[in-house]
Amino acid sequence: MPNRRILRLTGKDTDSFLQGLITNDVQRLNEGLVYAALLTPQGKYLADFFLKRDGSSVLLDVAEDLADALNKRLTMYKLRADVAIEVTDLNLQRGTGPAPESALPDPRHPDLGWRGYSSAPEDEDGTDWDAIRVRHCIPETNIELTPDSYILEAGFEALNGLDFKKGCYVGQEVTARMKHKTELRKGLLIVEIKGAAPIGSEIQSSGKPAGTLFTQSNGKAIAYLRLDRAQGDMLAGDAIVRLTD
């Protein structure tokens, strides 16, 4: 069960404040959960999170070990904006079965089911989340998503995690340039794996570094790979990996 912290943002400037910072369009809050990230000015990942409209406020669902740094960064950007950030006593509930009335679909992929928030203890329904993530190449906070990540290489466009029409946000110029002016040379891909190796194991192709192995499930794994070296049988420790057909 992931350990999450739920923050609440209030104040008349909340929407405009978030709109100028995050990778997704805050207007989508009127449709349901919004998945987004906060980037450095150089376009690298700082944190990913979910946003939910809750009356006149916005809930922000983030990994517990990123929450303090994210709160500090948001406070730094707040300046004179009419925005207050507070920690709530809400907890995450999630599952892939019947959803509670207040829950909303996970915007990243239909197979990820629903997410809800209440004062009840964190809970989930026993779903094998790693299997779903590997099947659809969905990165996880602090596993595939690290301070070295670029969100386009991490598949955020397919995960409904960014909007190229919303206008400026922190790191937008780098992200837009990667989208429109360059061809991605690295990225997260699904590989077949024979054997097992720890998360973070280096993948080698023909004796050269080719990438990093991450989450594994049912003979497949998520790997971050240099596309020019992702060919044939590759090695990650004692495991053999290769791109799926």
Side-chain angles (χ1 to χ4, degrees), residues 106-192:
D106 190 312
R108 295 173 296 173
H109 194 280
D111 285 0
L112 287 170
W114 50 267
R115 300 175 81 89
Y117 307 96
S118 77
S119 57
E122 285 193 357
D123 191 25
E124 57 182 40
D125 62 0
T127 295
D128 186 344
W129 301 106
D130 281 351
I132 295 173
R133 292 199 307 103
V134 169
R135 186 160 65 245
H136 300 295
C137 201
I138 298 169
E140 181 61 80
T141 308
N142 292 327
I143 301 178
E144 290 84 13
L145 293 173
T146 75
D148 290 325
S149 297
Y150 289 102
I151 59 171
L152 284 182
E153 294 180 345
F156 261 62
E157 190 171 7
L159 299 173
N160 301 309
L162 75 161
D163 188 313
F164 285 105
K165 298 178 180 179
K166 60 159 285 185
C168 294
Y169 56 88
V170 178
Q172 180 263 341
E173 289 187 8
V174 175
T175 305
R177 188 162 60 248
M178 290 180 71
K179 169 69 174 176
H180 298 295
K181 295 186 178 180
T182 62
E183 183 175 347
L184 293 182
R185 299 179 180 179
K186 301 176 182 179
L188 293 178
L189 297 169
I190 302 171
V191 296
E192 296 176 349

Side-chain angles (χ1 to χ4, degrees), residues 214-228:
F214 291 111
T215 307
Q216 302 155 53
S217 177
N218 300 319
K220 297 188 184 229
I222 298 174
Y224 178 69
L225 290 168
R226 278 187 51 163
L227 303 183
D228 62 338

Side-chain angles (χ1 to χ4, degrees), residues 43-110:
K44 288 197 172 184
Y45 166 92
L46 281 173
D48 64 316
F49 40 81
F50 298 85
L51 300 171
K52 179 187 178 183
R53 182 84 68 195
D54 188 41
S56 61
S57 64
V58 174
L59 300 180
L60 190 155
D61 162 10
V62 65
E64 174 67 36
D65 54 1
L66 296 184
D68 285 340
L70 176 61
N71 197 341
K72 183 177 180 180
R73 183 64 65 111
L74 292 175
T75 300
M76 178 186 74
Y77 282 128
K78 187 164 68 71
L79 299 176
R80 297 181 182 179
D82 182 7
V83 179
I85 306 169
E86 61 181 6
V87 179
T88 74
D89 62 357
L90 298 175
N91 295 307
L92 169 67
Q93 285 80 41
R94 65 175 183 165
T96 53
E101 184 176 349
S102 61
L104 292 170
D106 190 312
R108 295 173 296 173
H109 194 280

